[in-house]
């Protein structure tokens, strides 16, 4: 597909994807800087407007003060960043989309399903259903709004080669979607390492200009970071990169009113880096960036128990759901 407009559906009343503008029009942005910014994924005003000065400085190899000036001007031109009344904020929050997980109990725990413009983390030990949930949400988002979807498509970043098209076929049938069409609306990329994983968010932005992408799945968010930055001395750089990755994901969520679903293993053994065996990896970095953190554990098969941890606006609680052949069910 070429640079044609994002297809709109009757169910989705989202604004069109931002129109690319010449970054060169911003004061202080020459051709070389504009190229570097675009390479780093800053292709329009909105993305610059919501970026942090240090990220922009690093991407364009300029000083933070210059980056701040560029961002301020992008904000002015994109008309963002001023004060908003509570009414406007409420209206924006009312635009938030929600996607069903397939289990009402789990949807209720999340306040009505997986939310757009936010990161939802599913953590838990192996076999607790993180990957199954990721598959199911990638299917369900395709449903019309009145059936719990957003009539939209998914970018699925697979870091552990556990994406299974066969499961999508089962789950699509389970919700009455055509399996081949459902597979066509999930854009899968295998991430070979953490660096590649981060680059893929930029690729997702490009794709989102052509396709109605309203969900990014990262399964697993932390596996590459964890295996590449093993030593104690590497904890700081690892957390820094993970932080950047999460903020790029959040930026995607804000720009495209998209949901971000990430999975995270818990530390299997107590060791110096991850002392608590039930703590999701990535510690406070993930804790700060993720709006909804759901910790999964096994129960009597095929049941799983989900617990919501540290949510800003929802009570802590638990939900039981089942992993079935057709997918996630009550
Ligand atoms: P890991 O940490 O290893 O990635 P995970 O949390 O991603 O684990 P999943 O792969 O989501 O775990 O869950 C695997 C479980 O899903 C299986 O143990 C099984 O209970 C269930 N499952 C997978 N496929 C099917 C199927 N076709 N029919 C029924 N249940 C299934
Ligand atoms: Mg998995």
């Amino acid at each position: 597909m070429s640079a044609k407009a994002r297809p709109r559906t009757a169910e989705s009343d989202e604004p069109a994807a931002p129109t690319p503008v010449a970054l060169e029009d911003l004061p202080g942005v020459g051709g070389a800087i504009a190229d570097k910014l675009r390479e780093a994924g800053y292709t329009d005003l909105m993305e610059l407007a919501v970026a942090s000065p240090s990220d922009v400085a690093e991407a364009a190899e300029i000083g933070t003060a210059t980056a701040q000036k560029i961002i301020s001007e992008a904000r002015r031109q994109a008309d963002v960043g001023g004060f908003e009344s509570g009414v406007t904020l409420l209206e924006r929050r009312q635009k938030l989309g929600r996607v069903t997980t397939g289990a009402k109990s789990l949807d209720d725990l999340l306040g009505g399903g997986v939310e757009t413009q936010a990161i939802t983390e599913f953590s838990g030990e192996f076999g607790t259903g993180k990957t199954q949930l990721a598959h199911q949400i990638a299917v369900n988002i395709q449903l019309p709004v009145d059936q719990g979807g957003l009539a939209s498509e998914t970018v699925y970043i697979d870091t552990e080669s556990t994406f299974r098209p066969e499961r999508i076929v089962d789950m699509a049938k389970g919700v009455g979607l055509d399996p081949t069409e459902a597979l066509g609306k999930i854009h899968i990329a295998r991430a070979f390492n953490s660096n590649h994983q981060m680059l893929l968010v930029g690729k997702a932005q490009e794709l989102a200009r052509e396709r109605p992408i309203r969900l990014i799945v990262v399964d697993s968010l932390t596996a590459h970071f964890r295996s590449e930055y093993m030593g104690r001395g590497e904890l700081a750089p690892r957390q820094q990169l993970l932080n950047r990755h999460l903020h790029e994901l959040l930026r995607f969520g804000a720009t495209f009113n998209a949901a971000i679903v990430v999975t995270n293993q818990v530390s299997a053994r107590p060791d110096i880096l991850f002392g608590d065996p039930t703590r999701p990896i990535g510690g406070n970095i993930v804790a700060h960036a993720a709006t909804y953190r759901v910790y999964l554990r096994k129960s009597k098969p095929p049941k799983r128990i989900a617990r919501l941890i540290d949510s800003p606006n929802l009570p802590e609680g638990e939900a039981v759901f089942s992993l079935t052949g057709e997918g996630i069910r009550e």
Side-chain angles (χ1 to χ4, degrees):
M1 264 227 249
S2 63
K4 83 180 193 200
R6 287 169 76 197
R8 295 281 121 210
T9 61
E11 290 84 0
S12 151
D13 61 349
E14 291 313 310
T19 331
V21 295
L23 298 178
E24 285 86 346
D25 291 347
L26 292 168
V29 180
I33 291 180
D35 285 344
K36 282 181 198 155
L37 287 173
R38 274 188 290 264
E39 237 167 73
Y42 301 100
T43 51
D44 65 43
L45 287 181
M46 193 56 175
E47 278 156 11
L48 270 179
V50 299
S52 81
S54 57
D55 285 352
V56 170
E58 195 188 321
E61 295 169 51
I62 53 179
T64 327
T66 313
Q68 182 62 66
K69 271 193 206 133
I70 294 172
I71 291 169
S72 300
E73 185 55 23
R75 282 188 187 152
R76 203 185 59 76
Q77 291 196 21
D79 199 18
V80 295
F83 290 105
E84 282 181 308
S85 74
V87 178
T88 317
L89 201 58
L90 183 64
E91 277 169 4
R92 192 146 59 81
R93 286 197 53 83
Q94 281 164 347
K95 283 228 161 94
L96 294 182
R98 296 206 174 258
V99 188
T100 179
T101 59
K104 180 155 189 312
S105 54
L106 185 51
D107 289 350
D108 289 346
L109 187 72
L110 291 167
V114 173
E115 191 177 89
T116 64
Q117 299 184 37
I119 294 178
T120 301
E121 174 203 46
F122 291 107
S123 64
E125 63 173 44
F126 70 94
T128 46
K130 304 181 294 292
T131 297
Q132 300 301 308
L133 274 162
H135 280 60
Q136 186 74 59
I137 297 162
V139 169
N140 290 357
I141 198 163
Q142 303 181 21
L143 292 166
V145 172
D146 61 6
Q147 290 175 37
L150 293 172
S152 302
E153 305 187 6
T154 298
V155 163
Y156 197 111
I157 301 177
D158 181 14
T159 76
E160 301 186 298
S161 297
T162 51
F163 179 83
R164 293 288 174 275
E166 300 81 2
R167 286 302 284 146
I168 298 297
V169 169
D170 294 342
M171 291 176 179
K173 285 182 186 159
V175 295
L177 289 174
D178 177 80
T180 312
E181 272 179 37
L183 280 169
K185 291 179 181 171
I186 303 175
H187 310 272
I188 306 121
R190 171 87 214 280
F192 295 103
N193 53 48
S194 63
N195 193 330
H196 186 214
Q197 181 178 330
M198 291 174 72
L199 281 176
L200 286 170
V201 181
K203 292 280 166 209
Q205 281 173 18
E206 286 170 26
L207 191 63
R209 301 190 188 293
E210 299 177 359
R211 312 286 314 161
I213 309 291
R214 300 281 303 279
L215 168 66
I216 296 190
V217 167
V218 188
D219 181 21
S220 134
L221 173 73
T222 46
H224 281 318
F225 289 93
R226 188 191 199 191
S227 63
E228 290 164 30
Y229 300 87
M230 296 273 282
R232 175 157 221 155
E234 289 178 301
L235 187 58
R238 184 193 78 180
Q239 293 295 77
Q240 219 167 9
L241 284 171
L242 193 54
N243 192 33
R244 168 130 64 95
H245 185 39
L246 284 162
H247 281 90
E248 283 167 357
L249 287 167
L250 274 174
R251 190 150 59 90
F252 184 98
T255 309
F256 298 102
N257 192 6
I260 312 294
V261 169
V262 303
T263 70
N264 198 353
Q265 271 215 320
V266 292
S267 166
R269 68 197 164 94
D271 61 28
I272 51 162
L273 291 184
F274 321 103
D276 180 341
T278 63
R279 289 295 283 186
I281 296 160
N284 60 335
I285 297 290
V286 184
H288 282 130
T291 312
Y292 299 101
R293 309 192 76 197
V294 181
Y295 177 71
L296 305 171
R297 64 182 198 274
K298 291 176 189 169
S299 180
K300 193 166 171 278
K303 292 202 187 319
R304 298 291 187 272
I305 300 167
R307 182 155 56 89
L308 191 68
I309 46 180
D310 343 304
S311 166
N313 57 340
L314 292 173
E316 290 206 352
E318 289 194 343
V320 180
F321 64 94
S322 298
L323 299 178
T324 79
E326 287 196 318
I328 308 296
R329 290 293 182 272
E330 182 78 14

